[in-house]
Amino acid sequence: MHLYHQYVLLRSPPTPDVALPATTGTPAAVLVVSDDPEVRDFLMEIAIEEGYGVRCAVSESEAATILRHERPGLVIGDLDMASRTGEKFLRAIGRSEADREIARFGVTSSNNAMIGVSMDAPVFFKPELDGLREAVARLFRGR
């Protein structure tokens, strides 16, 4: 059983505007942006298992609101959201002077390996998301 599922059994499931508890001394937080509950849960699970606090957003506008008030160390954005603006949102974070220090990872079911080059950010491919857990750990170890 994964840590996230244990958390859900102990408390009510998180809603997009509720922060999950972080391990004491957590060096950074992760913002997960996805309108797909399965993808969102899986990405949250990875961050929690690695010991990081997590915030969730179901849309780019909700994520932008969170970014105005909080400074996560990493934004993991689903590029396959219904609004089709996930890629644009992650690119905007990279261009924003205020948000430039925030790392960005994308996740997609697309088979276009060049998408990461166009975004100037690592992209991990669903459903496996090979290497994502290691990339998150490496990112925060280096900070």
Side-chain angles (χ1 to χ4, degrees):
M1 183 179 277
H2 296 288
L3 178 63
Y4 174 66
H5 297 297
Q6 290 172 349
Y7 177 84
V8 171
L9 291 173
L10 296 173
R11 297 199 172 97
S12 60
T15 58
D17 60 342
V18 175
L20 294 177
T23 302
T24 303
T26 298
V30 177
L31 171 59
V32 171
V33 186
S34 178
D35 60 358
D36 181 332
E38 289 181 23
V39 172
R40 195 170 52 242
D41 287 353
F42 182 69
L43 295 173
M44 288 170 52
E45 187 175 300
I46 289 172
I48 291 169
E49 286 177 352
E50 292 299 319
Y52 302 110
V54 178
R55 293 281 290 173
C56 283
V58 296
S59 68
E60 294 84 357
S61 62
E62 190 175 25
T65 299
I66 292 170
L67 286 177
R68 279 195 295 276
H69 301 285
E70 298 179 26
R71 307 308 304 160
L74 171 63
V75 174
I76 303 176
D78 187 350
L79 306 182
D80 301 330
M81 293 196 297
S83 63
R84 292 293 194 214
T85 58
E87 189 175 338
K88 182 179 175 184
F89 175 72
L90 288 178
R91 277 193 197 121
I93 292 171
R95 287 192 305 265
S96 165
E97 197 66 40
D99 298 330
R100 190 164 295 163
E101 77 282 357
I102 299 172
R104 302 162 292 129
F105 291 171
V107 296
T108 184
S109 57
S110 167
N111 60 2
N112 180 359
M114 293 304 293
I115 197 165
V117 173
S118 70
M119 283 187 44
D120 191 30
V123 175
F124 300 87
F125 298 93
K126 298 184 236 176
E128 300 85 11
L129 298 174
D130 288 338
L132 177 61
R133 185 180 309 272
E134 294 79 15
V136 169
R138 214 174 23 254
L139 172 75
F140 287 123
R141 266 196 313 266
R143 290 185 173 202

